[in-house]
Amino acid sequence: MSATPTKTRTASPRSASARKTGVREQAAQTTRDNILKAATKVFARYGYEGGSVEKISKAAKSFDRMIYYYFGSKEGLFIEVLEETYRRMNDAESKLDLDTAKPFEALQAVIRFVVGYYRKNPEFITLLNTENLHKGKHISKSMRAREYSSPAIEVIRRVLESGQAQGLFRKDVSARDVYLLIAATGYFYMSNRHTLSAFLGEDLETPEALANWETFVIDSVLRTVAPGPSLPKGKTAA
């Protein structure tokens, strides 16, 4: 009895082409991601002027032309670095497990997150310092920057509303102002820690110093939102 010949199944030209397209797209995305990561480190170390296209392409093990291909220009790449920096903080913040029914604990968690994030991500500080030296002219061209600030303020707004409903927080304080207070106290300390350490004659980066400042920021914010007499709008303390 003769054996029946086995038919060999071959991939259709269309499926093979789709696989090749998928591989090319993945390779392109990898190249783009590598450039973005390298640019983040280079700009954080050398600033905008010193962070040349040549340095970035070398760090990414790529070519100058690929930077222009994916990002259009050095400025376009820097803007995406800033956007990615904000996005990462936003993503980390979205993972906070907050119980707004406990506003004191929730607000403290937000403060610890912000202060801790600045401490653990020094590149974030140096990149923002660089952009502030340029008076925000690059990030102002971003179409995505605004969408990253809104969630942070929204989180604080929900916490404040819960505390206000329970009579724990004053009602004449805005989420925007509380957000700026937290950001300012956390950012200033970390961005100026080297000069302040020399000026004050103490190391502000020791675990004890960092823990003390975090406690101070929490206490300051909680005192700010606590119920009590407040000055009429437009008035200042004598």
Side-chain angles (χ1 to χ4, degrees):
M1 186 174 180
S2 61
T4 302
T6 302
K7 292 183 178 181
T8 303
R9 299 182 63 184
T10 58
S12 67
R14 181 176 297 179
S15 62
S17 175
R19 282 199 299 273
K20 288 181 180 178
T21 300
V23 170
R24 286 197 298 269
E25 289 177 348
Q26 182 60 48
Q29 187 60 49
T30 299
T31 298
R32 195 180 191 285
D33 290 345
N34 287 342
I35 292 173
L36 198 58
K37 290 176 183 176
T40 299
K41 295 182 181 299
V42 170
F43 283 133
R45 181 175 181 181
Y46 298 102
Y48 181 74
E49 285 82 6
S52 66
V53 168
E54 292 77 14
K55 285 189 179 85
I56 295 168
S57 59
K58 183 178 179 181
K61 298 180 180 179
S62 185
F63 302 95
D64 295 359
R65 66 176 184 274
M66 301 308 293
I67 291 176
Y68 296 108
Y69 177 77
Y70 288 114
F71 301 96
S73 64
K74 174 182 169 180
E75 183 183 41
L77 174 56
F78 185 60
I79 290 172
E80 288 216 32
V81 165
L82 293 174
E83 290 175 341
E84 178 65 12
T85 300
Y86 279 117
R87 186 194 65 77
R88 287 200 302 270
M89 183 175 185
N90 191 66
D91 287 351
E93 186 178 56
S94 68
K95 295 175 183 176
L96 282 174
D97 186 17
L98 300 176
D99 182 359
T100 56
K102 299 177 180 178
F104 275 119
E105 291 81 353
L107 188 54
Q108 289 181 60
V110 172
I111 297 168
R112 288 194 180 94
F113 166 79
V114 174
V115 174
Y117 193 89
Y118 290 154
R119 184 174 66 248
K120 296 171 186 174
N121 295 271
E123 288 179 353
F124 183 78
I125 297 293
T126 53
L127 286 168
L128 293 191
N129 284 345
T130 293
E131 181 58 0
N132 276 299
L133 286 173
H134 289 85
K135 299 182 179 180
K137 73 175 184 179
H138 302 109
I139 196 63
S140 65
K141 299 176 183 178
S142 168
M143 304 300 292
R144 298 162 56 192
R146 278 272 185 95
E147 68 186 63
Y148 294 135
S149 65
S150 299
I153 297 175
E154 176 61 20
V155 166
I156 294 174
R157 185 188 65 77
R158 287 190 279 109
V159 173
L160 289 179
E161 286 182 349
S162 175
Q164 290 163 348
Q166 297 178 49
L168 301 174
F169 296 159
R170 51 191 277 199
K171 295 185 177 182
D172 62 341
V173 64
S174 72
R176 170 189 171 277
D177 290 344
V178 173
Y179 167 76
L180 287 175
L181 176 59
I182 297 170
T185 49
Y187 181 88
F188 178 84
Y189 186 97
M190 292 308 299
S191 66
N192 294 277
R193 63 195 184 281
H194 302 299
T195 51
L196 285 173
S197 291
F199 180 75
L200 297 173
E202 57 181 287
D203 186 357
L204 296 185
E205 290 193 272
T206 65
E208 295 77 17
L210 292 169
N212 177 72
W213 185 248
E214 181 182 89
T215 300
F216 183 80
V217 174
I218 291 172
D219 183 64
S220 299
V221 175
L222 291 180
R223 287 175 182 271
T224 298
V225 301
S230 58
L231 291 169
K233 287 187 176 180
K235 299 292 184 179
T236 57

